[in-house]
Amino acid sequence: MKILQINSVYGIRSTGRIAYDIAQLQKKNGMEPYIVSGEGKSDSPNIHIMSGKLYLKANILKTRLFGKHGFYSRFATWRMLRFADKVKPDIIHLHNIHGHYFNVKMIFEYIQKHNIPVVWTLHDCWAFTGHCSHFDYAGCDKWRTGCGNCKRRRSYPDSWFFDRSKGNFALKKKIFTATERMHIVTPSHWLSSLARESFLGKYPVTTIHNGIDTDTFSPRESDFRKKYGLENKFIILGIVSNLNSTKGGQYFLSLSKMLKDDEHIVLVSLERDFDKLPKNITAISKTDSKEELAQIYSACDVFVNPTLQDTLSMINIEALSCGLPVVTFKSGGCAEPLSEESGIIVPKGDAQGLYDGIQRVRSGEISRNKCREQGMKFSYELCFSKYIDLYKDIIK
């Protein structure tokens, strides 16, 4: 059985690692995995890389100028479909097909023409909105009726001048519902319920939680504390790119004002705002190394995830698997991986609640062993074996 996965990235970031892990499991089950990735490097004949940086930047500019995200990149998509012709896949498995790499109209016309069954894993809400990938933060329900007058036009995928949300919604609905052989998968029950309420609800919808490599993300020895001079500190870990975003970076500034002298925040992946950091926050650079991340998780005392919108949150699962207790907002589906024994769920936007949760962890209320046990339930082999069963059912 030949499975062609299509995703914006491969092997890096959350969805890229998911596509990689699924491909490894396909191979273990005697299937032939093929990959189309928006960008990256690979010498494998089974992997097709879409385009270079300049082509990507041109598509980003087109979206910002004209607002029809997902309907550019014609030449790169044509080349990708020639790769699909050579593969002759039994199933096409879509992931994130937004991100300035693909022409979604061309992809679905190809699928319909060749009558290829499709599994589409939705990692966010973009497939059934007229513009945004998440509407939870904005509190918008226009996707139920057709979009228009978009509140998030200037958010990803940014459109500087035109609000195309109404027309894009109608075009997506027409294109994405034209095929008869599609199965929708989402990584959380929260997103599954939304997909069923959308125009994609005409298709079967299944929840398959995202899995991780629990052997790599496991408790381990680390010199992290010594390296950063934090041997005698209670370390609060966060992963954010900036201090003012829907991922909740701003809440770490609020927390910093509440901390005791022996408590310290470490932020991974911070890309800017270094001048705003107080002395009790240390920022370290982004890493795509799973081993390095596992060492950081293992060295800390609590993981805080104040995201204001998320589908499931892979970082919550990674932290749990390393035995690290999690304190998170009840936002989207990101609290689904937690049990009462492995984490604390706080109402969205409650900074004091985050700190109270940290103190509950510090008091010993959450066992690191229970966190590891909970994280082990999200082994990619356990979770993604459901895709193998789904492929087989579809072929039958």
Side-chain angles (χ1 to χ4, degrees), residues 119-171:
V119 174
W120 192 358
T121 300
L122 307 184
H123 298 282
D124 53 41
C125 307
W126 181 85
F128 54 87
T129 73
H131 177 79
C132 66
S133 57
H134 282 282
F135 43 73
D136 194 32
Y137 178 72
C140 180
D141 280 337
K142 292 181 179 179
W143 59 275
R144 298 179 186 276
T145 56
C147 290
N149 297 317
C150 183
K151 297 179 180 180
R152 306 211 66 197
R153 175 175 64 83
R154 295 301 300 271
S155 65
Y156 171 84
D158 312 35
S159 178
W160 291 339
F161 305 113
F162 300 104
D163 178 3
R164 305 287 193 192
S165 58
K166 188 175 183 65
N168 287 351
F169 180 93
L171 191 52

Side-chain angles (χ1 to χ4, degrees), residues 232-373:
N232 300 314
K233 298 290 187 179
F234 182 86
I235 303 178
I236 300 154
L237 177 64
I239 299 180
V240 293
S241 60
N242 62 74
L243 296 178
N244 186 23
S245 72
T246 57
K247 294 301 181 183
Q250 60 271 29
Y251 289 96
F252 289 105
L253 291 179
S254 300
L255 286 174
S256 71
K257 300 172 184 177
M258 307 177 192
L259 299 186
K260 300 172 184 175
D261 290 341
D262 64 343
E263 295 171 340
H264 196 87
I265 295 171
V266 171
L267 296 182
V268 178
S269 296
L270 197 68
E271 297 174 352
R272 59 176 190 265
D273 301 327
F274 300 104
D275 57 322
K276 300 177 183 177
L277 295 180
K279 292 182 179 180
N280 56 1
I281 298 181
T282 296
I284 60 178
S285 59
K286 178 181 179 180
T287 176
D288 283 319
S289 167
K290 293 188 288 186
E291 290 76 12
E292 185 178 357
L293 275 173
Q295 290 175 0
I296 295 171
Y297 286 130
S298 298
C300 296
D301 295 292
V302 61
F303 182 69
V304 173
N305 186 1
T307 182
L308 299 172
Q309 61 181 29
D310 216 320
T311 303
L312 182 69
S313 184
M314 297 290 286
I315 53 178
N316 282 358
I317 298 172
E318 292 169 357
L320 290 174
S321 189
C322 292
L324 185 61
V326 175
V327 178
T328 190
F329 282 154
K330 184 175 176 58
S331 179
C334 71
E336 287 185 27
L338 275 63
S339 65
E340 291 183 1
E341 298 175 313
S342 63
I344 295 168
I345 302 167
V346 177
K348 186 161 63 173
D350 184 357
Q352 182 62 51
L354 289 176
Y355 184 71
D356 293 343
I358 291 168
Q359 295 307 309
R360 288 170 60 187
V361 170
R362 191 168 189 184
S363 71
E365 186 173 325
I366 304 296
S367 159
R368 293 186 77 108
N369 287 336
K370 291 294 184 182
C371 293
R372 172 62 176 168
E373 289 177 11

